[in-house]
Amino acid sequence: MKNFFYLILILSVITACSSKAIPIGLKSTIKQIDQSLNDTIKYDFKIAPEEIATSKHHFGLGLDIRNEKGLWRRSFIRTYFKLNRINHADDMSGIILKTYHRKLNDKPIKFKDQKKYYKEYWKFTKLNEKNFKEWWDTNNSKTERDSLETVYLSYFTKKQKVLGSIGAWTPFENGSSAGTDVEMIGEIIDINNSILKIRITELGSCDEKFQLNNIIGDTIETDIYSVFLIP
């Protein structure tokens, strides 16, 4: 049975050669992600340029993927990645996010190219600083990144509704406190570069033991990476 398991994995690696198809080993994960996301998160993720989308969601959706899909420990998908010589959980989730983004936008997956990027990254980290910097600047142009951020920022306009969260806290007698996040919907009333001024229009429910930092009608400032555009 164990040999059969690894045979299937090896066959999955071998057949992941099409630049357009989602690799067999990632299909179920991509499907589960697509089914789990609400329309707002999915819309925001889709319309953002690829590099912006994957970096914005690295610590949200990406963290969920790393924890829930067992990328830090033994799991089918981790073994699949390791057979493809991708060994770090951050790299694995990066490929999953990029693959999902390309699927949503009907673009070629290019799994081989994605693997190549991370393999080269770890190869160049072992070389001298000059060689690594040259490789990094070639593959991660700041000018291109700024251009992509400008494209994404153009979707944020006045009166546009966004989904985010605000903090709520409960104090303890010893002087410490505990916090939680409460879902918030707001309307953009001003934009300054990537900083948004938002008027809160709706708030989710909150346990009575927590005290909200803000109420409906308040104006807060946040950035484009902390909220999601509502379609």
Side-chain angles (χ1 to χ4, degrees):
M1 185 67 180
K2 185 176 180 181
N3 290 337
F4 177 75
F5 172 76
Y6 282 106
L7 176 62
I8 294 298
L9 282 171
I10 292 169
L11 287 173
S12 298
V13 173
I14 293 172
T15 54
C17 56
S18 170
S19 66
K20 294 184 178 181
I22 296 175
I24 293 173
L26 301 186
K27 279 190 174 182
S28 64
T29 297
I30 296 299
K31 183 178 180 180
Q32 289 166 10
I33 292 170
D34 190 63
Q35 292 174 340
S36 67
L37 293 183
N38 65 45
D39 290 341
T40 293
I41 304 296
K42 192 182 297 186
Y43 171 77
D44 185 275
F45 184 77
K46 178 182 179 179
I47 66 169
E50 182 178 288
E51 293 303 318
I52 303 298
T54 52
S55 61
K56 176 174 181 174
H57 291 264
H58 178 77
F59 289 109
L61 176 58
L63 183 61
D64 290 341
I65 291 170
R66 290 189 290 278
N67 292 337
E68 294 174 9
K69 302 302 176 186
L71 300 186
W72 296 106
R73 57 188 186 278
R74 284 178 132 187
S75 65
F76 176 92
I77 193 167
R78 176 174 171 80
T79 303
Y80 174 79
F81 272 116
K82 289 181 77 67
L83 284 171
N84 277 280
R85 293 192 295 152
I86 301 297
N87 300 308
H88 198 288
D90 284 346
D91 301 346
M92 297 175 191
S93 65
I95 289 175
I96 292 170
L97 287 174
K98 203 164 275 192
T99 297
Y100 181 52
H101 189 270
R102 291 177 181 180
K103 174 190 177 296
L104 286 177
N105 289 280
D106 197 27
K107 292 183 177 180
I109 303 303
K110 295 185 178 180
F111 186 55
K112 283 187 176 181
D113 290 345
Q114 293 193 61
K115 293 189 296 180
K116 180 182 176 183
Y117 172 86
Y118 289 107
K119 290 172 185 176
E120 285 188 353
Y121 170 84
W122 290 107
K123 174 185 174 182
F124 277 90
T125 57
K126 296 175 183 177
L127 302 178
N128 61 59
E129 184 178 344
K130 179 183 177 183
N131 285 342
F132 176 73
K133 187 177 185 307
E134 288 176 353
W135 176 86
W136 180 265
D137 290 344
T138 299
N139 290 274
N140 301 275
S141 166
K142 185 180 185 306
T143 301
E144 183 179 353
R145 167 79 186 202
D146 290 345
S147 176
L148 293 175
E149 188 172 275
T150 300
V151 170
Y152 183 48
L153 180 60
S154 68
Y155 290 105
F156 292 82
T157 57
K158 289 183 180 180
K159 296 186 178 181
Q160 168 73 45
K161 290 291 185 70
V162 294
L163 172 68
S165 63
I166 61 170
W169 299 88
T170 182
F172 296 129
E173 291 182 358
N174 61 6
S176 63
S177 61
T180 188
D181 290 327
V182 177
E183 188 175 274
M184 173 273 299
I185 292 177
E187 180 182 79
I188 299 173
I189 58 176
D190 197 16
I191 305 165
N192 183 13
N193 294 322
S194 62
I195 303 301
L196 309 173
K197 186 175 286 187
I198 296 170
R199 180 183 295 112
I200 299 173
T201 58
E202 297 179 42
L203 285 173
S205 59
C206 179
D207 192 298
E208 290 183 358
K209 69 179 181 180
F210 291 103
Q211 181 177 348
L212 286 166
N213 289 345
N214 301 96
I215 60 173
I216 292 174
D218 280 357
T219 299
I220 61 172
E221 286 192 352
T222 186
D223 60 71
I224 60 175
Y225 293 97
S226 301
V227 293
F228 306 100
L229 288 160
I230 296 176

